[in-house]
């Protein structure tokens, strides 16, 4: 199965084509350009350099959020259009779960992954996962749904945990410092800086799992998971309340 995976949920953009466990192509850019400038050329280059046509893609995969509202819309619209034209199925991957995958290689059994993505206005998008090591397998188990939360509330929730807590994402340092100042840094760890960016290869691997579980959607049902109301809508509602 050939999978084209896309991430544009935050500042960086990533595109990959995978066939089962084989990586065919992988592109990443974090040059401060808009996703409207970079994403389509990256997809085109990935296909052409691999000598693969859109018709040969079996599954389209994209991070659905949470993350940048504009970035999510661009990524989802691009994948939705390609999948719709080709009549191909799609997989909606949590951007937070994709980030959690970056920590898997160096975790110990029962280690906690605390994904923290800057949601602006002092909040973060967060999800918690636990590492489980079996005789021939190492995996992560989700402990809570993707959510928006303040670092102080997350600190109160995690302060009694005895396990190692591994922070990853562009809001990881902020949460690491907040918790460390509250109850010490003994069991707190920061991911490597390069692991704070989503890798489209990990998105492809997660989408294969969703496909195997029958959790795929049509292009028409490919929708974002914003978690909170976009800034423009919040301002509009606030202004209406003031007028009334």
């Amino acid at each position: 199965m050939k999978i084209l995976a896309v991430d544009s949920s935050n500042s960086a953009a990533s595109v990959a084509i995978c066939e089962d466990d084989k990586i065919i192509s992988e592109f990443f850019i974090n040059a401060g350009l808009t996703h409207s400038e970079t994403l389509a050329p990256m997809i085109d280059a990935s296909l052409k350099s691999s000598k693969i046509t859109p018709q040969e893609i079996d599954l389209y995969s994209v991070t659905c959020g949470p993350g940048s509202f504009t970035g999510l819309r661009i990524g989802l619209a691009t994948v939705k259009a390609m999948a719709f034209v080709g009549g191909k199925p799609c997989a909606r991957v949590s951007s937070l779960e994709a980030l959690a995958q970056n920590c898997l290689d160096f975790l110990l059994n029962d280690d906690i992954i605390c994904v923290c993505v800057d949601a602006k206005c002092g909040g973060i998008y967060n999800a918690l996962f636990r590492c489980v090591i079996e005789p021939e397998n190492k995996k992560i188990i989700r402990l809570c749904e993707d959510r928006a939360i303040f670092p102080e509330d997350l600190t109160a929730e995690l302060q009694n945990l005895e396990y190692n807590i591994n922070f990853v994402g562009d809001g990881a340092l902020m949460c690491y410092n907040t918790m460390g100042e509250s109850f010490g840094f003994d069991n707190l760890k920061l991911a490597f800086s390069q692991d704070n960016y989503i890798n489209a290869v990990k998105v492809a691997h997660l989408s294969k799992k969703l496909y195997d579980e029958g959790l795929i959607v049509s292009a028409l049902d490919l929708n974002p998971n914003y978690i909170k109301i976009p800034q423009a809508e919040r301002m509009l509602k606030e202004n209406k309340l003031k007028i009334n």
Side-chain angles (χ1 to χ4, degrees):
M1 168 182 283
K2 289 187 176 67
I3 301 172
L4 190 151
V6 170
D7 170 65
S8 59
S9 60
N10 275 295
S11 59
S14 182
V15 174
I17 297 176
C18 297
E19 185 170 11
D20 299 322
D21 293 330
K22 176 185 176 183
I23 302 171
I24 297 176
S25 70
E26 182 180 2
F27 285 75
F28 175 90
I29 189 166
N30 188 28
L33 302 173
T34 65
H35 295 313
S36 58
E37 295 176 275
T38 61
L39 195 59
M42 287 171 69
I43 293 173
D44 185 58
S46 186
L47 290 166
K48 287 182 177 177
S49 61
S50 306
K51 299 190 182 300
I52 292 175
T53 65
Q55 292 75 21
E56 293 177 88
I57 298 298
D58 300 300
L59 177 67
Y60 286 90
S61 174
V62 61
T63 46
C64 64
S68 159
F69 298 124
T70 301
L72 290 173
R73 284 194 289 267
I74 292 171
L76 285 159
T78 303
V79 170
K80 184 188 285 274
M82 296 183 71
F84 182 78
V85 170
K88 301 298 176 68
C90 302
R92 299 172 71 251
V93 174
S94 161
S95 54
L96 303 185
E97 188 166 357
L99 274 169
Q101 297 294 319
N102 291 347
C103 299
L104 192 57
D105 289 342
F106 56 82
L107 293 180
L108 302 175
N109 194 48
D110 285 332
D111 273 7
I112 302 298
I113 306 172
C114 185
V115 184
C116 303
V117 171
D118 188 3
K120 311 303 180 186
C121 301
I124 57 166
Y125 298 122
N126 168 257
L128 300 173
F129 302 84
R130 181 167 62 89
C131 176
V132 176
I133 301 178
E134 299 171 343
E136 295 183 2
N137 189 28
K138 190 177 187 181
K139 60 184 179 180
I140 60 173
I141 297 175
R142 180 182 283 274
L143 299 179
C144 71
E145 295 302 313
D146 295 350
R147 58 188 178 174
I149 192 171
F150 289 103
E152 296 79 10
D153 296 327
L154 184 61
T155 298
E157 181 179 327
L158 299 180
Q159 63 181 349
N160 295 321
L161 282 181
E162 297 179 358
Y163 305 114
N164 292 327
I165 304 173
N166 299 266
F167 295 90
V168 64
D170 63 6
L173 181 59
M174 174 174 61
C175 292
Y176 174 86
N177 288 333
T178 299
M179 291 189 196
E181 291 169 0
S182 296
F183 56 88
F185 293 88
D186 290 346
N187 64 333
L188 306 184
K189 298 180 180 180
L190 272 174
F192 297 112
S193 58
Q194 65 268 24
D195 290 328
N196 292 324
Y197 300 102
I198 293 176
N199 183 330
V201 171
K202 303 291 176 58
V203 177
H205 290 165
L206 287 171
S207 67
K208 176 61 166 58
K209 179 182 176 183
L210 292 172
Y211 180 88
D212 291 340
E213 295 174 354
L215 299 176
I216 56 172
V217 299
S218 69
L220 294 176
D221 293 323
L222 193 61
N223 299 312
N225 180 24
Y226 287 134
I227 300 292
K228 66 178 184 179
I229 302 171
Q231 181 72 17
E233 292 183 23
R234 291 204 307 275
M235 293 177 65
L236 179 62
K237 289 183 178 181
E238 289 171 2
N239 289 335
K240 283 184 177 179
L241 288 173
K242 290 177 182 177
I243 292 173
N244 294 333

